[in-house]
Amino acid sequence: MQDLAPDLPQNTNDFDAVQKEYVIKSFATERPWINYISNNRYTVLLSQTGGGYSFWKDPKSCRITKYRYDNHPQDRPGRYLYFRDADTGQVWSPGWQPVMVSPDQWECRHGLGYSKITSTTYNIEASTTIFVPNDDDCEVWVSRVTNHDTKSRTIKITPYVEFALFNAMDEYSAYFNLHFFNDAKFDPDLNTLWYYMHHHSWMELGKVFMATSEKITGYTVDRRQFIGNYRSESNPEVIETGIDHNTPVLGLDCVGAPSFELTLAPGESREFYVVLGVDNNVPDRAKHMITKYTDPAIVKIELANVKSKWENWLSNLQVDVPDLDTTTMINVWNQYQAKVAFDWSRWASYYHTGTYRGIGFRDTNQDCLGMLHIMPTAVRDKIKLLAGQMFTDGHSHHCFFFDGSGDTMKYGDDHLWINLTVHRYICETGDLSILDEVARYVDGGEGTIHDHCRRALEYAFRESGPHGLPKMFFADWNDCLNNICLKEKGERGESVMVAQQLVMFGNMFCEFSKWSGKYDDSVVDLQSRLNSLKARINEVAWDGNWYTRAYTDDNRTIGGVESGEGQLFLNTQSWAVLSEVANETRGKTAMNSVYDRLNTPVGIKLLDPPYRSFPNDVGSVIHYPEGIKENAGIFCHANTWAIIAETMLGRADRAMQYYLQILPPKVAKTIGFDRYRVEPYVYCQFIAGPDHPNHGYASHSWLTGTSVWSLVAFTQHILGVRPTFDGLQIDPCVPGTWKSFSMNRRFRNADYAITFHNPTGVSTGIKSIVVDGTPINGTIIPVQPAGTSVQVVVTMGA
Ligand code: GLC
């Protein structure tokens, strides 16, 4: 990889496997490296230096603290602590931001449900853990301060946040009026600051409080007074002068900046707490939370409860494989990220502003796959929620909000994905009753989930174009192919990828219809149309060495040798294999084309050559520079399907190569932390491809389908432990050098401890499977009784 710079200075950031934490050693990372801390009602996004924002319930309507997007490299504002030496007037922030005095020692540990920032500056050590309790609508900052000086020190401490105007959309569009509704004051009886807005929508929801365990001796709630004109959070006037304003605010921009002093003898440590939350208009709720989270014994227990919640969840799936980064990612961070994506779709991140997109229909269907082994009931609820976003004609909202409103633009693929989710849900749980659950249709009436699934498939068949493939409509999985099928050009453009998905998801529908006794004549008919579609794809979309991608309204081929730019697309090769549309020969040929033309040492490009000449019948893909996002970027989400495809072709080494080359801790080191930019402990959406001058920089970390599919690809296709309706299938496809490895997995409420031995170094093939001492026939372990544990010994061999 000549054009990257492997010798860029590296820091020593790394995993702490015992604590299940990622330890960041350098505060000035190229992009903020964040954590999500949430109980699904109160959510904190927190960067390593304290940047980020908090919201309650949802990121659009109930924003608690402010964050300014598009302000990088500042990463502001956030949750800050200001320390001011009462004798010398020296000022610093233990998190480094926002005062940015370089600490003598600094580290940030992102953990599961909490983060901890520790530093020492001017002989004062401060260690602050921020967490959200499992059952209360607040965040708690636990700060331990130690005086390492030889003399006594008095420090004035000011915790700081900037309050948001609650509705994040309105904040941007109607700030000029909204901020006049603000109201903030100090309540000495409760030792807290209150903040709320004189606006009926918020008044119904409640007030925000910010309290501390120490007696508040001064405060400022007016942003302009706190910061001072033409200053910033780095040098606020109140902190520099040490003089609080102690005046309530009506109709001005509000911050929360309570202050108090701590005097510490040499060697002495003291702990203080900050509680920031929402009272939901319930009398005494704030008081309850403040009392609770300023009590050291309770805080300790609540933090331990957060950690054990995660231990419990993660214990459902643990692996031990010959690659340490893989083991750590699968056991901890990949599952953690999958939960974040399951909760927040592509809605609220450091890239997504929490405003306009909401919950993505196709995204959330995919995200469900990562939570099935942990919280099948939550997935069941999500399936019902998703089904309720469909219309009677079978298509669905593209994105939607919790209030039921959604984006009605028709896409070629969205609706189809629900069949995948339902199929995988049934395989994981055996629960066929989901098919008889009833959900609404957006445009009236209701139907069973089975009916929703069927309508999705029928919609795609009904809405087919001249080649007999489903129409693309606005776009398909690739949101940027959005000029292919235009109303003004007759809306004829078709998607080969959607056709492949229709075959795969349709077959899944037929399977669960069979299991549930719903295999009637209409399903028989559907099955035969699926078989014909498979043949048709092979007839019309095989280009010689790979499958084409789409056909425009004017019948131009996208993704063929003749196409000029965008000749070869990754997805229709991997999905040809996934959907079993390709026979083995075509599958191998297509995936070899991918390897030869699209692969790089840091991931597979989405297409080649990139679009340069602005053809106007393709879509917004051409607006991205070459190598970025969908325009020949290394789109990590799509890489995961290539991993699965290679396992289905039995090519373990290539599958593993694809898996490892985008594994965050590895790719970050290959590219160099600074050049790669984003967090090395979670997947990102894309890495700039070789066609871009900044090849190797990555973006859109956290909220990406990459996380769930990497988890599925590794655990279900490389290790090959796959839930089926009849039991747990064992079908590994691993490098021959892997001689032994293991997985502990919960499946239908029983625990399977599975040990793999590979004495002859094969990549695929099972010689024997022994369950609790008894060999089984075939490769599917029958479902074990709930509550039991079994030992499974798998011996691989020809
Ligand atoms: C983004 C979208 C996802 C889409 C992908 C490719 O990740 O959230 O829905 O499939 O981009 O365009």
Side-chain angles (χ1 to χ4, degrees), residues 54-65 164 166-168 202 205 278:
S54 306
F55 59 87
W56 183 51
K57 290 187 177 173
D58 84 66
K60 185 176 148 208
S61 52
C62 300
R63 204 64 80 92
I64 306 292
T65 65
F166 300 126
N167 186 308
W202 183 258
L205 293 169
V278 189

Side-chain angles (χ1 to χ4, degrees), residues 244-374:
D244 299 305
H245 281 269
N246 304 321
T247 329
V249 154
L250 261 187
L252 297 168
D253 298 300
C254 289
V255 298
S259 70
F260 53 85
E261 277 187 1
L262 288 186
T263 298
L264 299 159
E268 189 186 352
S269 294
R270 289 273 295 276
E271 219 163 63
F272 70 86
Y273 308 95
V274 177
V275 194
L276 174 64
V278 189
D279 77 346
N280 201 10
N281 278 336
V282 177
D284 288 336
R285 185 171 275 181
K287 188 174 173 188
H288 167 77
M289 282 187 258
I290 294 167
T291 313
K292 200 167 164 185
Y293 297 107
T294 51
D295 178 330
I298 297 183
V299 168
K300 212 168 160 192
I301 292 169
E302 289 289 336
L303 180 57
N305 287 345
V306 169
K307 293 183 187 176
S308 57
K309 173 179 80 180
W310 273 103
E311 288 288 340
N312 275 339
W313 281 342
L314 297 180
S315 70
N316 285 358
L317 175 64
Q318 292 286 293
V319 301
D320 188 358
V321 301
D323 180 71
L324 190 58
D325 281 338
T326 302
T327 300
T328 309
M329 282 300 294
I330 294 293
N331 290 350
V332 185
W333 292 94
N334 199 169
Q335 296 190 64
Y336 188 67
Q337 181 182 7
K339 170 75 166 60
V340 170
F342 179 71
D343 291 337
W344 303 116
S345 191
R346 311 294 174 266
W347 196 1
S349 71
Y350 254 48
Y351 307 86
H352 309 85
T353 57
T355 52
Y356 89 111
R357 274 195 72 161
I359 307 287
F361 190 90
R362 81 157 81 86
D363 298 321
T364 297
N365 269 293
Q366 296 169 71
D367 294 339
C368 282
L369 309 188
M371 285 298 105
L372 279 168
H373 64 288
I374 295 184

Side-chain angles (χ1 to χ4, degrees), residues 345-346 352 357 360 362-363 366 398 413-414 417 476-481 571 606 629-630 635 637 641 685 700 703-705:
S345 191
R346 311 294 174 266
H352 309 85
R357 274 195 72 161
R362 81 157 81 86
D363 298 321
Q366 296 169 71
H398 181 56
D413 69 316
D414 282 332
W417 289 94
D476 61 11
W477 171 88
N478 187 330
D479 287 332
C480 301
L481 300 181
N571 282 339
L606 195 58
K629 283 182 64 102
E630 283 91 337
F635 212 95
H637 185 169
W641 296 323
Q685 187 202 62
H700 293 47
L703 300 186
T704 159

